[in-house]
Amino acid sequence: MTPSPASPATAAAPALPVQPPQGCPFDPPAEFARLRTEAPLSKISLPDGTEAWLATRYADIRAILGDTRFSSDTTRPGYPLSGMTGGATTEHRGFIRMDPPEHTRLRRMVTREFMVKRVEAMRPEIQRLTDELCDAMEKRAGQDVDLIEALALPVPSLVISLLLGVPYDDHELFQRLTGTLLSRTVTDAERESARAELRAYLHQLVSAKEAAPGDDILGRLIAEQQVPGEITHDDVVAFAALLLIAGHETTANMIGLSALTLMRDRETADRLRAEPALIRGAVEELLRFHSIIRNGPRRAATEDIEIGGQLIRAGEGVVVAVPSANRDPEVFADPDALDVCRPNAQHHVAFGYGIHQCLGQALARVELQVVIGTLLRRFPEMRPAVPVDEIPFRSDMAIYGCHTLPVTW
Amino acid sequence: MNITLDADKCCAAGQCVLIAPEVFDQRDEDGIVVLLDAAPPADQHDAVREAAAICPAAVIKVDE
C-alpha cells in the first residue's frame, strides 16, 4: 500500500483498519506494518465521527496499558466507545470498565477463582468434557461437521457454566443462547433478543442462588460479598455476564482459528503430535499469531501523557492494536511466521497488559492446550471441508475468528 | 539475585507461577503473588527474569 499524500487539515482521519490482507485471513490488516514505521501513534476516526489515537507499536502499547493514567472507565470524556461490536457492549459495566480503586476491589473478589492451581485442578474435567464432545464428533464421521458448533464453542461454554454453577437442566437453554450470540446466521434482532434473554436468565440464576448459594463462583460471591453488603444483586449479575462473555467467545474463536491453522500447516501439526510437550509453547504462539482482540483494548487519557514521543492530551481516546503489537518485528523475529518454538512467544499482549490483563488467562491456556492436543491426537486426518476463502471469517466483529468452520476427516 | 515484590499492585494474572513455580506462588484466598524464595539458585535466574519481564503490573523487582 502506498502512503497517502498529506491530507488537508479538515479531512477526516482514516477508520480503524480491520480487514486482513487479501487471501491472508490469519494476518492483521496490512496497514499496521506501515503505521508502525511511519506513524506509530496516528489519529483514526470512529463511526460516530469522533477521533481517537491508534497505537500500533509493541513498546507504546505496553506503555499505555501499563499506565493507569489511561482510564478504562467508559463514562470518562473521550473514551472511544464507538465502533465496538461483537461481545463488547456497554450494557453490563463490569470491573473491566472501571479504574482503581473500584476495579481492584471488585477484581480481587474473583481472582482466586482463576488461580493457576485451581485451574490446573480443573484440567481432568476439561479433558473429560473435550473427550465427550470428540466422541460425539467421531460418530458423525463422513459428514461435514461445523467445528465451532461441535467443539470450539461448547468447551468454554460448558466450563463457564460449571464455574458459574448453571444447573444441569438449564444447559440446553444456556447453550442455545450463547450459541446465538456467536452465530452469524442469525439476524441482529435475534442476537439482541438472545442477549436480553441471557441477561434475564442470569438475573434469575443469581436470584435462585441468593436463596441457596452453592459451591460455585456466584454462590461464593453472594455468600461472601453480597450478604455482608459489599456488592449488590446487580453487581453479581454483572460479574456473571462479564465472566460469561469474556471467557467464552474469546476461547471459542481461538480454538477455531488454532484448529484451522494446524489443519493447514501439516508440518507443525505432525511435530506437535510427535512432541506433545511443545503444545504449551504452541498455544502462546497461536495466541500471539492470531491476536483475536481486533479493535481494542481502549483507554481515555486522564492527563497529558507523552508516549513514544507523541503527546496524548487529557480527554483524548486511545485504541490499542493488539494484532499490530504482536506482529512488531522489533520484538518478534519474522513476526508473520508461525513458529511454535519461538522463544519469546509468551511476551505477546493477546491477553492485554497492565492491571486489566485477562483474569481468565490460566483457564484459557488450559482449555486451549487440552482441546488442541486432543484434536491433534484424535483427528489426525481432519481438514477443512470447504476452500479457505469460503470460510466466513469474523472481520466484522471485535473478536476475530470463524463464524463457522466446516471440517471433515 | 535478590527478589522483592510489590504485592499490593499484583493483579493475580499468575504468569510468574507458570514460569517459575519454585520461586513464586499464589495466595489461596485471593491469588495474589507469594515469594517462595527471595534468593533463588542460579538455575532459576532466567525464569525469574522472564517472570519479571512479563508481569503485567510490574510487581517483581530483581536485583542482581
Side-chain angles (χ1 to χ4, degrees):
Chain A
M1 186 173 286
T2 50
S4 44
S7 3
T10 51
L16 173 71
V18 289
Q19 287 295 341
Q22 203 70 35
C24 304
F26 298 149
D27 285 347
E31 184 69 356
F32 287 151
R34 184 185 73 78
L35 288 170
R36 273 197 308 265
T37 317
E38 294 176 13
L41 277 151
S42 60
K43 284 287 182 79
I44 51 164
S45 42
L46 300 169
D48 66 359
T50 58
E51 288 194 348
W53 293 98
L54 174 67
T56 46
R57 217 158 47 184
Y58 180 90
D60 295 344
I61 286 171
R62 276 206 10 170
I64 292 164
L65 297 179
D67 187 334
T68 48
R69 294 175 298 168
F70 287 99
S71 169
S72 294
D73 181 350
T74 50
T75 63
R76 283 198 85 103
Y79 189 95
L81 199 54
S82 156
M84 294 182 89
T85 56
T89 69
T90 56
E91 65 183 18
H92 302 288
R93 194 172 160 270
F95 61 84
I96 59 167
R97 301 191 185 288
M98 295 177 186
D99 292 328
E102 199 57 6
H103 165 265
T104 318
R105 186 178 82 90
L106 292 171
R107 179 171 164 128
R108 286 202 174 179
M109 290 180 187
V110 283
T111 43
R112 69 166 172 189
E113 308 286 350
F114 299 94
M115 280 166 61
V116 171
K117 59 188 149 197
R118 269 183 107 122
V119 167
E120 280 299 332
M122 291 179 66
R123 192 182 283 268
E125 183 68 8
I126 296 170
Q127 182 67 60
R128 193 186 61 75
L129 292 171
T130 304
D131 283 333
E132 275 179 20
L133 291 161
C134 287
D135 292 346
M137 260 172 39
E138 233 160 34
K139 296 201 178 92
R140 295 164 69 188
Q143 307 166 31
D144 287 1
V145 169
D146 174 12
L147 194 67
I148 303 295
E149 179 242 311
L151 185 73
L153 186 55
V155 170
S157 184
L158 288 165
V159 171
I160 286 283
S161 62
L162 203 72
L163 286 169
L164 292 180
V166 172
Y168 191 78
D169 286 351
D170 294 348
H171 270 218
E172 213 169 296
L173 170 80
F174 189 77
Q175 287 274 106
R176 178 175 64 75
L177 294 175
T178 52
T180 305
L181 281 182
L182 257 189
S183 170
R184 199 181 66 147
T185 52
V186 299
T187 64
D188 286 350
E190 282 169 326
R191 191 176 298 114
E192 272 319 301
S193 141
R195 207 184 284 281
E197 209 182 323
L198 190 59
R199 206 176 166 187
Y201 174 77
L202 293 177
H203 267 291
Q204 200 187 10
L205 180 66
V206 171
S207 299
K209 288 183 181 294
E210 282 163 357
D215 185 23
D216 49 59
I217 294 184
L218 297 181
R220 284 189 284 275
L221 276 171
I222 290 164
E224 293 163 24
Q225 308 292 345
Q226 187 185 339
V227 169
E230 294 294 320
I231 52 173
T232 64
H233 167 93
D234 285 348
D235 292 329
V236 181
V237 175
F239 268 113
L242 175 61
L243 299 181
L244 172 72
I245 292 166
H248 182 255
E249 254 196 290
T250 44
T251 310
N253 283 297
M254 264 312 295
I255 292 172
L257 285 176
S258 301
L260 178 58
T261 309
L262 295 174
M263 284 187 264
R264 284 163 52 88
D265 183 347
R266 289 278 162 196
E267 204 180 312
T268 300
D270 287 343
R271 186 154 182 211
L272 293 176
R273 254 189 295 274
E275 295 176 75
L278 295 179
I279 286 177
R280 219 169 256 271
V283 164
E284 299 306 317
E285 174 67 348
L286 287 160
L287 286 160
R288 181 198 72 84
F289 186 73
H290 287 301
S291 302
I292 57 169
I293 306 297
R294 288 281 156 126
N295 55 14
R298 299 176 177 215
R299 297 288 186 265
T302 59
E303 49 187 271
D304 294 357
I305 305 163
E306 197 185 299
I307 293 290
Q310 175 65 54
L311 184 68
I312 297 176
R313 293 195 179 279
E316 290 183 329
V318 184
V319 178
V320 161
V322 165
S324 179
N326 285 342
R327 299 286 185 106
D328 188 337
E330 295 281 325
V331 180
F332 303 105
D334 195 8
D336 295 331
L338 180 83
D339 171 7
V340 293
C341 295
R342 184 183 292 281
N344 68 342
Q346 66 197 4
H347 285 237
H348 66 74
V349 290
F351 289 122
Y353 186 76
I355 59 165
H356 288 273
Q357 194 183 53
C358 178
L359 176 61
Q361 58 182 284
L363 178 60
R365 286 188 165 101
V366 171
E367 290 180 352
L368 289 168
Q369 290 160 10
V370 167
V371 173
I372 291 166
T374 307
L375 266 181
L376 286 167
R377 202 168 58 240
R378 293 192 55 173
F379 296 92
E381 300 302 322
M382 185 177 277
R383 57 194 181 274
V386 298
V388 75
D389 58 6
E390 286 174 26
I391 295 170
F393 286 95
R394 296 164 45 103
S395 304
D396 49 338
M397 310 293 269
I399 299 167
Y400 194 64
C402 313
H403 286 290
T404 61
L405 178 54
V407 295
T408 187
W409 61 91
Chain B
M1 173 179 276
N2 185 51
I3 307 166
T4 47
L5 297 180
D6 185 356
D8 285 349
K9 292 198 302 186
C10 178
C11 63
Q15 294 187 89
C16 55
V17 182
L18 287 172
I19 293 167
E22 292 172 37
V23 180
F24 303 104
D25 197 359
Q26 288 176 291
R27 268 197 320 232
D28 282 338
E29 60 270 30
D30 56 9
I32 300 303
V33 64
V34 173
L35 191 56
L36 299 176
D37 187 351
D43 64 351
Q44 296 289 314
H45 290 187
D46 282 351
V48 170
R49 283 185 210 108
E50 178 69 1
I54 65 172
C55 173
V59 167
I60 302 166
K61 189 167 168 285
V62 180
D63 286 312
E64 307 210 37

